[in-house]
Amino acid sequence: MNMTTTLIIFALMAWCVQIIFSWLQIRRFNHAFLAMKKGRYLGVGRSQTKWFKPRVLIAVSLDENQTVIDSITMKGITVFALPKTIPQLLGLNAKEIIPETIYPNDPASQSALSTALTASK
């Protein structure tokens, strides 16, 4: 085996590992999403960030009064990001939520939260 063949095999193996880890991450988010309390509205928002900055996914569940009954966030650059609950949102009305006050120093999370709440307002 020459150096080119070894490099191609290594790249293919790395690509396969990336596919497996990405599948596991999507699976973790889907399990957390399906475990959320179901309300009348279930919105998901994703941040629009540049390269090498953490992406943020936020899911919010609202009841018939537009009150947050459950929410999760997933933030990270790598496939090792885990979904976590957002306790600051529980019990708030969707019309009263200002993403800048929930995440004062995190524009990516602000963007994801406003996208998740867009259809409910």
Side-chain angles (χ1 to χ4, degrees):
M1 240 187 328
N2 62 15
M3 188 65 156
T4 306
T5 306
T6 305
L7 186 60
I8 290 172
I9 290 172
F10 179 74
L12 286 174
M13 287 178 17
W15 184 55
C16 289
V17 168
Q18 174 67 28
I19 289 171
I20 291 168
F21 280 144
S22 297
W23 178 77
L24 289 172
Q25 182 183 33
I26 291 168
R27 191 167 169 238
R28 279 194 302 263
F29 181 78
N30 285 341
H31 280 270
F33 186 74
L34 292 174
M36 288 178 69
K37 296 175 186 163
K38 303 297 185 260
R40 184 167 299 271
Y41 172 78
L42 194 58
V44 178
R46 185 181 73 130
S47 66
Q48 301 295 328
T49 58
K50 303 284 185 199
W51 284 81
F52 301 112
K53 296 215 178 187
R55 293 264 171 136
V56 180
L57 280 170
I58 294 181
V60 178
S61 180
L62 305 175
D63 65 4
E64 60 277 347
N65 300 321
Q66 298 290 309
T67 303
V68 177
I69 56 175
D70 204 358
S71 60
I72 58 170
T73 183
M74 195 167 174
K75 178 181 182 178
I77 296 173
T78 67
V79 294
F80 300 111
L82 296 173
K84 299 172 187 163
T85 60
I86 311 170
Q88 305 97 300
L89 293 179
L90 292 178
L92 294 177
N93 190 297
K95 294 178 177 128
E96 299 171 352
I97 295 174
I98 302 168
E100 291 79 17
T101 59
I102 304 294
Y103 297 107
N105 300 320
D106 191 356
S109 295
Q110 293 171 10
S111 170
L113 181 57
S114 64
T115 303
L117 295 171
T118 299
S120 68
K121 289 187 178 182

